[in-house]
């Protein structure tokens, strides 16, 4: 089942939240900064052991002080006009995160709108890719609860229309 909410993803009460990280996995601004601030130093310490993450891939850590038990860090593409495989890399982010959640037998997962902030990915196209990829992966585990957690009004409106 897919759900839509407009809230701060650090408050998510389910099993895992997805972080829109950068390839260092050592924190940053936006949702990455919010998650690291809420999770505390333990998250940073574990991230340091992961050796980074390439765009389109995902790695899981504990949730530390967050309500969520796990954080699945994914690195979205930086938008460069659309001719550099950005759509495929973004789809891969959602696919890899869902694969990890399914492998771990998680019951629920929350996604932010990956790449649509600092990385400048157009929100309408990103929403299409996110929803289509998650719907496809849910066929493998229909009982999983997936939450799209929007923080800004524009994304929320887009997802509402599409869903
Ligand atoms: N909860 C949910 N969503 C949030 C939150 C939050 N607390 N804070 C920001 N967002 C939303 C933004 O509104 C945007 O829609 O997350 C989406 C992704 O924006 P960014 O956080 O800027 O992430 P991204 O565009 O993927 O850029 C990643 O930004 O923060 C740095 O370290 C990060 O270098 C990486 C880059």
């Amino acid at each position: 089942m897919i759900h839509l909410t407009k809230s701060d993803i650090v408050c998510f009460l389910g099993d895992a939240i997805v972080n829109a990280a950068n390839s260092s996995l050592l924190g940053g601004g936006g949702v990455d900064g919010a998650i690291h601030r809420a999770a505390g130093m333990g998250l940073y310490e574990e991230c340091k052991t992961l050796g980074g993450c390439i765009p389109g891939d995902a790695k899981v850590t504990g949730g530390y002080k967050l309500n969520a038990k796990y954080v699945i860090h994914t690195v979205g593409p930086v938008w460069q006009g659309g001719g550099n495989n950005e759509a495929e890399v973004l789809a891969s982010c959602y696919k890899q995160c869902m694969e990890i959640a399914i492998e771990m037998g998680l019951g629920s997962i929350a996604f932010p709108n990956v790449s649509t902030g600092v990385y400048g990915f157009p929100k309408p196209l990103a929403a299409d890719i996110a929803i289509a990829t998650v719907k496809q992966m849910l066929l493998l585990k229909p009982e999983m609860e997936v939450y799209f957690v929007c923080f800004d009004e524009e994304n929320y409106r887009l997802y509402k229309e599409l869903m």
Side-chain angles (χ1 to χ4, degrees), residues 7-9 20-22 27-32 34 112-119 151-152 155:
S7 60
D8 185 331
I9 202 165
N22 58 60
V31 69
D32 194 7
N113 309 126
V114 179
S115 278
T116 66
V118 168
Y119 281 1
F151 195 65
D152 58 86
N155 266 311

Side-chain angles (χ1 to χ4, degrees), residues 16-100:
I17 59 174
V18 171
N19 180 22
N22 58 60
S23 50
S24 75
L25 293 186
L26 299 178
V31 69
D32 194 7
I35 289 172
H36 274 272
R37 271 193 303 280
M41 280 310 285
L43 179 63
Y44 176 73
E45 291 306 320
E46 183 174 357
C47 283
K48 278 198 298 189
T49 69
L50 297 178
C53 182
I54 60 168
D57 201 359
K59 292 188 177 178
V60 63
T61 65
Y64 299 94
K65 292 186 186 147
L66 288 162
N67 297 315
K69 288 192 274 302
Y70 303 100
V71 179
I72 300 176
H73 307 261
T74 193
V75 180
V78 176
W79 182 253
Q80 294 167 303
N84 200 24
N85 239 16
E86 294 97 317
E88 289 75 12
V89 173
L90 187 62
S92 173
C93 289
Y94 284 91
K95 185 170 182 292
Q96 293 302 321
C97 292
M98 287 295 287
E99 275 184 359
I100 290 173

Side-chain angles (χ1 to χ4, degrees), residues 4-19:
L4 176 65
T5 73
K6 186 170 182 298
S7 60
D8 185 331
I9 202 165
V10 302
C11 304
F12 183 64
L13 296 171
D15 295 334
I17 59 174
V18 171
N19 180 22

